[in-house]
Amino acid sequence: MTETIINLETVNPLDFFGVNNAKLDILKKKFPLLKILSRGTQIKLSGAPEQIKAATEKIKLAISYLERNGSMSNNYFDQILGGDDVEVIDNFMERNPNEVLVFGPNGKSVRARTANQKKLVQEAEKNDVVFAIGPAGTGKTYTAVALAVRALKNKQVKKIILTRPAVEAGESLGFLPGDLKEKIDPYLRPLYDALDDMIPADKLGYFMTTRTIEIAPLAYMRGRTLDNAFIILDEAQNATDLQLKMFLTRIGANAKAIITGDMTQVDLPKNQRSGLKTAARILRNIPGIGYIELDEEDVVRHRLVKAIIKAYNAEHERSAEGDYSK
């Protein structure tokens, strides 16, 4: 029987142990042969040396993940403690802390922060076309833009093209004030915001002027061939079958494309069907095309966003079952 103490000075003990010690309970269930006590900013382990060694490795992996991301769900904590295969460990371990996707203005670093965001990076590195589907706030667009900026800085592509369908919330562009650019820009604003985080304003302005970076509505892609480019189609759930086919057949030589979307937020008119689900289904098994699903565990916005998504998902399931009593 031996003892060891692990310090939690680098993280908030409440974040590590969880509300009402929920994560501590998970830890005890994973290692039932150990006596595990929490004392302020310390964890005391008592038991067989091999059990203590295994638990210590997992706890340090969880601490490292929490240091990088600032939060850790019970589900992720459970995965970290229970995953022994290389793939699971790689998802949560940062083998190279300096492996940043891109450095933004003032030295800000942008990196994949969750397991599924890391998978998105891996899929994009292996494939020329990637579908990234998931709810709001999961970082799918932000990570895709970071990959595009990295490819441009590394001279892997000559230009970045960011596009979105200009149809949202049932609104008609004709009723909006201003010229065509003023009508379109609000729909493309999230793409501008992501670029602002990654490229200095003067350089971004130069890239936009020289069309090294182009942000345009999906309709502007018709008839073009997009060579030597990193192309992102955002909010693809608002593209029809024909629009998605048109976009995908624009991809030229030495080009990469990431298609992002959220199937729970389709804003197309009722007589039009989203083409994203169909495209992801019929294309995902083609070599060179990757597919990744993000979920509420990948939400990196306000902590309430995750709870909001879960609540809406539960309501959707009840509606599908026809049970409104819960």
Side-chain angles (χ1 to χ4, degrees):
M1 176 79 76
T2 59
E3 293 183 354
T4 191
I5 293 176
I6 301 172
N7 291 308
L8 302 174
E9 288 119 341
T10 58
V11 298
N12 185 337
L14 179 59
D15 292 333
F16 185 88
F17 293 123
V19 178
N20 296 323
N21 284 330
K23 292 191 184 77
L24 182 61
D25 291 339
I26 294 172
L27 180 62
K28 290 178 178 179
K29 288 179 181 177
K30 290 290 183 180
F31 296 95
L33 300 180
L34 289 179
K35 183 178 180 181
I36 303 175
L37 299 174
S38 62
R39 293 178 176 176
T41 61
Q42 296 181 330
I43 304 172
K44 181 180 179 182
L45 306 177
S46 304
E50 63 273 11
Q51 285 284 312
I52 288 179
K53 180 182 178 182
T56 299
E57 288 176 354
K58 296 296 185 181
I59 290 170
K60 287 184 176 179
L61 185 57
I63 292 172
S64 175
Y65 181 87
L66 194 53
E67 286 173 343
R68 296 194 311 271
N69 298 285
S71 65
M72 177 174 55
S73 70
N74 292 350
N75 182 39
Y76 269 22
F77 188 61
D78 185 75
Q79 289 183 50
I80 291 172
L81 296 180
D84 293 321
D85 59 275
V86 173
E87 181 179 357
V88 170
I89 293 172
D90 278 345
N91 283 339
F92 295 101
M93 179 181 290
E94 190 164 57
R95 295 189 180 280
N96 181 2
N98 297 318
E99 194 171 303
V100 176
L101 292 178
V102 63
F103 284 103
N106 302 318
K108 176 182 178 180
S109 62
V110 178
R111 67 182 74 207
R113 293 174 58 185
T114 71
N116 283 329
Q117 287 176 12
K118 288 185 178 183
K119 287 181 181 178
L120 172 54
V121 172
Q122 293 165 3
E123 287 296 311
E125 289 173 346
K126 292 187 298 184
N127 300 286
D128 288 336
V129 176
V130 177
F131 287 88
I133 298 176
T138 51
K140 53 191 184 296
T141 301
Y142 199 80
T143 304
V145 172
L147 286 166
V149 172
R150 182 180 70 171
L152 182 65
K153 287 186 173 182
N154 291 342
K155 298 185 176 357
Q156 295 170 334
V157 296
K158 294 182 178 179
K159 57 190 172 184
I160 296 173
I161 298 174
L162 310 176
T163 184
R164 271 183 158 196
V167 178
E168 296 194 20
E171 296 171 353
S172 171
L173 292 176
F175 289 97
L176 296 175
D179 60 20
L180 182 59
K181 185 178 187 302
E182 291 170 329
K183 292 173 188 286
I184 294 297
D185 272 0
Y187 294 111
L188 305 174
R189 188 72 253 167
L191 300 175
Y192 286 106
D193 290 342
L195 288 170
D196 285 340
D197 276 357
M198 302 175 200
I199 302 176
D202 56 342
K203 197 165 187 178
L204 178 57
Y206 171 76
F207 283 152
M208 301 287 285
T209 301
T210 58
R211 297 176 69 85
T212 302
I213 296 179
E214 181 181 351
I215 304 178
L218 179 58
Y220 282 34
M221 299 299 109
R222 189 174 299 278
R224 301 178 61 181
T225 300
L226 307 175
D227 296 328
N228 301 303
F230 200 116
I231 316 150
I232 297 172
L233 172 57
D234 193 34
E235 299 287 350
Q237 77 276 4
N238 289 327
T240 64
D241 283 323
L242 287 176
Q243 287 175 322
L244 255 173
K245 181 182 177 183
M246 178 274 292
F247 170 80
L248 290 166
T249 53
R250 299 306 94 206
I251 300 171
N254 190 39
K256 278 184 172 287
I258 296 181
I259 299 94
T260 72
D262 177 2
M263 289 309 304
T264 67
Q265 295 193 44
V266 177
D267 298 313
L268 288 168
K270 290 185 178 179
N271 63 340
Q272 293 186 7
R273 185 180 69 175
S274 171
L276 179 59
K277 190 173 184 179
T278 302
R281 175 176 54 83
I282 67 176
L283 302 176
R284 64 187 297 178
N285 292 322
I286 295 176
I289 296 181
Y291 179 88
I292 177 71
E293 279 193 36
L294 298 97
D295 55 35
E296 62 267 14
E297 300 296 343
D298 299 295
V299 170
V300 291
R301 292 182 184 167
H302 193 285
R303 61 181 178 79
L304 288 176
V305 174
K306 188 180 298 186
I308 290 167
I309 291 170
K310 287 184 177 180
Y312 271 99
N313 286 344
E315 176 64 18
H316 178 74
E317 291 174 4
R318 286 196 292 270
S319 299
E321 294 169 359
D323 183 0
Y324 297 94
S325 62
K326 297 180 181 178

